[in-house]
């Protein structure tokens, strides 16, 4: 997968060299290109923003630097064999970024991110590129960040771990919270490792029982309990047919 990020803070994306994403890059599973938007400004002050039409607070990012940058970035990708770009625009006004959307993006060969600062990018930029490629406006949560760069890190990490061969164990995202399947819409319950006693805290006996059926049942009960407590909205989205009699007694 190829990733391009155009930003006025390229160094904000340095964490893409670390950990899972960094390793995926080193192995050639991810081809990441971070670009400084100001390289596509042609005035003395490297201006990227201006006051909003219609008035109001804040500044709006200008069409010209973004248009010039995206044209060059897309041309470079195509020249190097990339295809099927998707424009990912982080914004608090976007559709919620979910595991489902992470899966969808992980199936695309090329993501181009446009994290904005200030009040966002002049609308005509997304309108223009929407004539050439799918545009996803994405919000990572109901809060306002100072810019979209942190959202790029979030989306990239969620997507990268879904790419074939990136996680050590191909099954290790099968029972993630939010993964589809029998535990769909349930949060993962608690996990334990050695030692069996720590500061007076033991671990649930069932985990030592070796009884796979009982362990699965316990994990499901814990998932239900945690979801009920932390995310009652998710319980409402569960298919009632997915629950059995024991669940209803909880
Ligand atoms: N930019 C500012 N806030 C954001 C959010 N919540 N999600 C994505 N991009 C953003």
């Amino acid at each position: 997968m190829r990733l391009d990020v155009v930003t006025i803070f390229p160094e904000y994306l340095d964490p893409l060299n670390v950990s899972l994403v960094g390793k995926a890059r080193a192995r050639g599973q991810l081809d990441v290109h971070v670009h400084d938007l100001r390289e596509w400004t042609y005035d003395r002050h490297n201006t990227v923003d201006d006051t909003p039409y219609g008035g109001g607070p804040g500044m709006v990012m200008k069409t010209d630097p973004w248009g010039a940058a995206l044209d060059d970035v897309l041309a470079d990708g195509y020249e190097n064999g990339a295809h099927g770009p998707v424009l990912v625009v982080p914004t608090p006004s976007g559709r919620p970024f979910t595991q489902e959307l992470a899966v969808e993006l992980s199936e695309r060969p090329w993501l181009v991110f446009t994290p904005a600062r200030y009040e966002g990018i002049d609308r005509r930029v997304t309108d223009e590129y929407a004539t050439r490629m799918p545009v996803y406006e994405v919000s990572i949560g109901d809060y306002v960040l100072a810019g979209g760069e942190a959202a790029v890190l979030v989306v990239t990490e969620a997507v990268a771990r879904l790419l074939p061969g990136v996680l050590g164990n191909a099954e290790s995202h099968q029972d993630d919270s939010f993964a589809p399947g029998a535990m769909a819409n349930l949060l993962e319950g608690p996990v334990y490792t050695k030692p069996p006693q720590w500061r007076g805290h033991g671990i649930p006996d069932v985990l030592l029982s070796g009884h796979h059926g009982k362990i699965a049942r316990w994990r499901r009960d814990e998932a239900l309990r945690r979801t009920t407590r932390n995310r009652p909205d998710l319980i409402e989205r569960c298919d009632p047919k997915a629950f059995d009699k024991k669940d209803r007694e909880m």
Side-chain angles (χ1 to χ4, degrees):
M1 173 182 275
R2 175 168 166 139
L3 295 184
D4 284 279
V5 187
V6 183
T7 168
I8 57 168
F9 292 119
E11 62 278 25
Y12 208 119
L13 284 304
D14 285 352
L16 295 180
N17 290 314
V18 180
S19 187
L20 176 122
V21 175
K23 283 197 198 118
R25 289 178 80 169
R27 285 197 218 109
Q29 292 158 327
L30 260 186
D31 178 24
V32 180
H33 303 256
V34 177
H35 314 270
D36 186 345
L37 178 68
R38 291 198 202 272
E39 284 178 18
W40 287 275
T41 53
Y42 302 98
D43 63 313
R44 225 160 29 98
H45 302 288
N46 299 114
T47 311
V48 293
D49 60 335
D50 206 337
T51 52
Y53 276 122
M59 300 291 272
V60 175
M61 296 190 94
K62 292 163 69 63
T63 49
D64 271 346
W66 280 107
L70 289 172
D71 285 351
D72 282 355
V73 164
L74 290 165
D76 178 72
Y78 285 123
E79 267 166 37
N80 286 288
H83 67 281
V86 168
L87 197 66
V88 184
V89 183
T91 162
S93 321
R95 64 195 259 203
F97 183 61
T98 58
Q99 189 64 20
E100 199 183 348
L101 189 48
V103 170
E104 194 175 325
L105 293 177
S106 75
E107 287 162 356
R108 305 291 311 212
W110 184 9
L111 306 180
V112 180
F113 291 96
T114 58
R117 292 269 145 179
Y118 317 113
E119 295 298 310
I121 304 172
D122 187 309
R123 180 72 206 177
R124 291 168 293 180
V125 174
T126 40
D127 288 347
E128 164 67 14
Y129 290 93
T131 66
R132 305 187 211 171
M133 66 192 73
V135 175
Y136 288 65
E137 291 183 300
V138 169
S139 166
I140 61 162
D142 291 340
Y143 38 77
V144 180
L145 302 166
E149 286 78 5
V152 174
L153 295 176
V154 167
V155 172
T156 300
E157 186 158 321
V159 167
R161 65 190 286 284
L162 296 173
L163 298 177
V166 167
L167 279 193
N169 175 354
E171 269 140 61
S172 46
H173 49 68
Q174 299 286 303
D175 54 34
D176 285 347
S177 297
F178 310 114
M183 304 275 275
N185 287 328
L186 293 185
L187 304 178
E188 267 187 83
V191 293
Y192 302 86
T193 186
K194 291 168 273 299
Q197 284 291 330
W198 183 72
R199 298 189 183 180
H201 302 271
I203 64 171
D205 290 337
V206 62
L207 296 179
L208 299 172
S209 69
H211 192 302
H212 297 302
K214 281 193 183 145
I215 292 172
R217 174 83 243 170
W218 178 85
R219 289 203 169 126
R220 192 169 145 81
D221 289 350
E222 288 299 315
L224 273 171
R225 200 167 289 134
R226 188 177 266 192
T227 310
T228 307
R229 188 176 344 110
N230 293 345
R231 293 292 303 275
D233 58 308
L234 289 182
I235 291 286
E236 293 189 357
R237 278 199 257 147
C238 283
D239 176 2
K241 288 200 284 299
F243 293 126
D244 57 29
K245 188 162 165 284
K246 278 194 190 144
D247 293 326
R248 280 188 284 270
E249 285 159 6
M250 285 187 62

